[in-house]
Amino acid sequence: MSSILKKCNELGLKMTDQRKVIVEVLSNSKDHPDVELVYKRASEIDKNIGIATVYRTIRLFEENKIIEKHEFKDGRFRYEEVPDEHHDHLIDIRNGKVIEFQNDEIENLQKRVAQQLGYELVDHRLELYGIPIKDKK
Amino acid sequence: MSSILKKCNELGLKMTDQRKVIVEVLSNSKDHPDVELVYKRASEIDKNIGIATVYRTIRLFEENKIIEKHEFKDGRFRYEEVPDEHHDHLIDIRNGKVIEFQNDEIENLQKRVAQQLGYELVDHRLELYGIPIKDKK
DNA sequence: TTAACTGCAAACATTTTGCAACCGT
DNA sequence: ACGGTTGCAAAATGTTTGCAGTTAA
């Protein structure tokens, strides 16, 4: 059973056919799809899903911390399952491919910087944008 | 003369009255305003500026790297003059206030992380979200 | 002079909402 | 049974565009 579905059950969400389909799509999408793409993939499974339902469901999942919203510099809002382990993103600017990474040193530095400014760090966003070294001119 | 205006001249942009007003607003805004707010402030100076002109001018400035677009987690796109020295942002989640900071250690770490993943870092985005320590319950 | 710019309104794109029908619990 | 959910279409947002008139260089 998918991790998303598990969280839905824990929250006692009513699991309609449409929601099950959207859960399936999100669980199987490793590419941080946007709403339009989730809608497209869901429609392939169930012709009758409405875009409003996709918007409502994604919002619901986001509010319940089941999925995370990202806005990389391509303008669209994209989503991914909330991971067990926190990670940040490196985006390949040639093709939009997203690579996930973790770095404790950076995490700790961020916490320290916030403290120095008089703040307690409650959230952060770190995105790196790069081009593959081998392609470098 | 404002730094924005200087860049406009260097680029040979035609400086209409409307653009001058928008330049003035952007130069005097230290709070990362969104389009709507720039429009509001510009309207206070010149009643007749259209919102379309504000959109067009902001896009023009952004394309010419005169201003930078940010999307903090409040959903709106906000703008600031391109700074001489690079900095990142800490956002006070109680009130949306933005604090700018610099940290070379983090910058270098980012470069190194990208390299380890096989990428040359060409851009990045780092935002910290926090609450003031003294307000902490 | 004239190519670029402007205001306006219409067009567009994206997201939300009202509502009657429907369905999971 | 019934309160939450759905699809649809309409509305609301946010942004862009076509056009005729205007303006900086």
Side-chain angles (χ1 to χ4, degrees):
Chain A
M1 175 161 118
S2 95
S3 157
I4 295 181
L5 193 48
K6 202 172 301 176
K7 290 180 185 173
C8 290
N9 292 338
E10 285 166 9
L11 289 165
L13 297 181
K14 187 194 280 190
M15 292 314 287
T16 61
D17 289 345
Q18 293 87 336
R19 286 187 180 172
K20 282 178 197 157
V21 167
I22 293 168
V23 165
E24 184 186 335
V25 168
L26 290 171
S27 295
N28 294 335
S29 294
K30 305 300 177 199
D31 57 352
H32 306 70
D34 61 9
V35 173
E36 205 62 37
L37 192 48
V38 172
Y39 173 57
K40 192 164 160 293
R41 288 176 184 165
S43 298
E44 282 164 15
I45 301 173
D46 178 348
K47 223 53 187 168
N48 295 325
I49 285 186
I51 185 100
T53 299
V54 176
Y55 273 105
R56 281 187 282 229
T57 304
I58 282 182
R59 183 161 38 138
L60 177 74
F61 286 177
E62 200 200 339
E63 285 166 357
N64 285 289
K65 312 248 183 285
I66 293 174
I67 59 175
E68 267 177 11
K69 183 185 199 174
H70 297 289
E71 184 272 330
F72 303 135
K73 294 196 175 182
D74 53 11
R76 308 167 316 176
F77 288 109
R78 300 160 54 149
Y79 297 86
E80 74 168 328
E81 192 174 337
V82 167
D84 296 334
E85 297 271 347
H86 165 75
H87 64 243
D88 292 306
H89 299 93
L90 185 152
I91 296 95
D92 186 328
I93 59 169
R94 294 168 322 162
N95 56 21
K97 200 178 117 196
V98 177
I99 293 156
E100 301 171 351
F101 69 89
Q102 282 180 268
N103 187 297
D104 290 340
E105 216 177 328
I106 290 187
E107 302 290 322
N108 292 332
L109 259 173
Q110 290 175 6
K111 211 170 294 177
R112 210 181 315 148
V113 168
Q115 271 166 10
Q116 282 166 5
L117 294 168
Y119 281 81
E120 185 197 356
L121 190 65
V122 297
D123 192 9
H124 79 267
R125 172 194 271 174
L126 172 61
E127 291 154 20
L128 306 182
Y129 296 84
I131 53 176
I133 288 172
K134 62 177 189 307
D135 286 15
K136 196 183 153 190
K137 233 281 317 330
Chain B
M1 176 161 118
S2 95
S3 158
I4 294 182
L5 193 48
K6 202 172 301 175
K7 289 182 186 173
C8 289
N9 292 338
E10 285 166 10
L11 289 164
L13 297 181
K14 186 195 282 191
M15 291 315 286
T16 61
D17 289 345
Q18 293 87 337
R19 286 186 180 173
K20 282 178 197 157
V21 168
I22 294 168
V23 165
E24 183 186 335
V25 167
L26 290 171
S27 295
N28 294 334
S29 294
K30 305 300 176 199
D31 57 352
H32 306 70
D34 61 10
V35 173
E36 204 64 36
L37 192 49
V38 172
Y39 173 57
K40 192 164 159 293
R41 288 175 183 165
S43 298
E44 283 164 14
I45 301 173
D46 178 348
K47 223 51 188 169
N48 294 325
I49 285 186
I51 184 103
T53 299
V54 176
Y55 272 106
R56 280 187 283 230
T57 304
I58 282 182
R59 184 162 36 139
L60 176 75
F61 286 177
E62 199 200 340
E63 284 166 358
N64 285 291
K65 311 248 182 285
I66 292 173
I67 59 175
E68 267 177 10
K69 183 186 200 173
H70 297 289
E71 185 272 331
F72 303 136
K73 295 196 175 182
D74 52 12
R76 307 166 317 176
F77 287 109
R78 301 159 56 149
Y79 297 85
E80 74 169 328
E81 193 173 336
V82 167
D84 296 334
E85 297 272 345
H86 165 75
H87 63 243
D88 292 307
H89 300 93
L90 184 152
I91 297 95
D92 186 329
I93 58 170
R94 293 167 322 161
N95 56 20
K97 200 178 117 196
V98 177
I99 294 157
E100 301 171 352
F101 69 89
Q102 281 180 267
N103 186 296
D104 291 339
E105 216 177 327
I106 289 187
E107 301 291 323
N108 292 332
L109 260 173
Q110 290 175 7
K111 211 170 294 176
R112 210 181 316 148
V113 167
Q115 269 165 12
Q116 282 166 5
L117 294 168
Y119 281 81
E120 186 197 357
L121 190 65
V122 297
D123 192 9
H124 78 267
R125 171 194 272 175
L126 172 62
E127 292 154 20
L128 307 182
Y129 296 84
I131 52 176
I133 288 172
K134 61 176 190 307
D135 286 14
K136 196 184 153 191
K137 232 288 311 330

